[in-house]
Amino acid sequence: MAKLRVGVVSPEREIWSGEADMVIAKTVDGEIGIMPQHAPVLGVLVEGGVLRVKREGEGDLVAAVHGGFISVADDEVSVLAEVAELGSEVDIAAARDALDRAQASIEANQEDADAAIEAKRARARLRAAGEEV
């Protein structure tokens, strides 16, 4: 069966690269699933999204992705994230603490845009780590 070549990078580092059977990402236009022989596409990733890379015979690779782009062409998927973190790297206690702080800020000021973004990021980190949010 055909495979996808996948690369996930942020400005700081290469997060992951390898072969996959499917990639699922959330874009500003909705969730997109990419399989081999997918039509070329360029999408804008949402803030606080979760990227899932499905690999046959291995567990899914899951990452919290905060903004950026996904590009698909010729069975190659490039995820160019503004910020990304593998679920296995998430400090769950720190993510929960960040979510609690953000929610407290939002309760004090409903229009706190920075707190809303921080809450989205913390929720994505927790989901990537497999935690209930």
Side-chain angles (χ1 to χ4, degrees), residues 56-106:
E56 187 177 318
E58 298 182 56
D60 292 356
L61 178 98
V62 184
V65 178
H66 312 295
F69 300 91
I70 184 168
S71 170
V72 180
D74 299 324
D75 286 342
E76 189 161 322
V77 179
S78 298
V79 177
L80 311 166
E82 291 176 19
V83 177
E85 182 177 10
L86 292 174
S88 60
E89 299 173 343
V90 171
D91 180 335
I92 294 170
R96 286 205 184 282
D97 186 48
L99 180 58
D100 291 343
R101 282 193 318 271
Q103 288 175 327
S105 292
I106 291 168

Side-chain angles (χ1 to χ4, degrees), residues 3-6 16-21 53-55 58:
K3 297 281 186 180
L4 296 168
R5 292 179 309 283
V6 181
W16 184 83
S17 68
E19 288 190 338
D21 298 300
V53 179
K54 297 196 166 279
R55 304 172 292 169
E58 298 182 56

Side-chain angles (χ1 to χ4, degrees), residues 11-45:
E12 293 83 34
R13 66 188 176 112
E14 178 182 65
I15 307 299
W16 184 83
S17 68
E19 288 190 338
D21 298 300
M22 184 176 191
V23 175
I24 301 168
K26 189 163 185 181
T27 70
V28 295
D29 294 321
E31 195 167 69
I32 185 170
I34 308 295
M35 294 180 69
Q37 301 180 354
H38 194 284
V41 68
L42 178 64
V44 178
L45 298 169

Side-chain angles (χ1 to χ4, degrees), residues 104-119:
S105 292
I106 291 168
E107 286 175 16
N109 177 5
Q110 293 291 324
E111 296 180 20
D112 189 342
D114 290 337
I117 289 170
E118 184 58 33

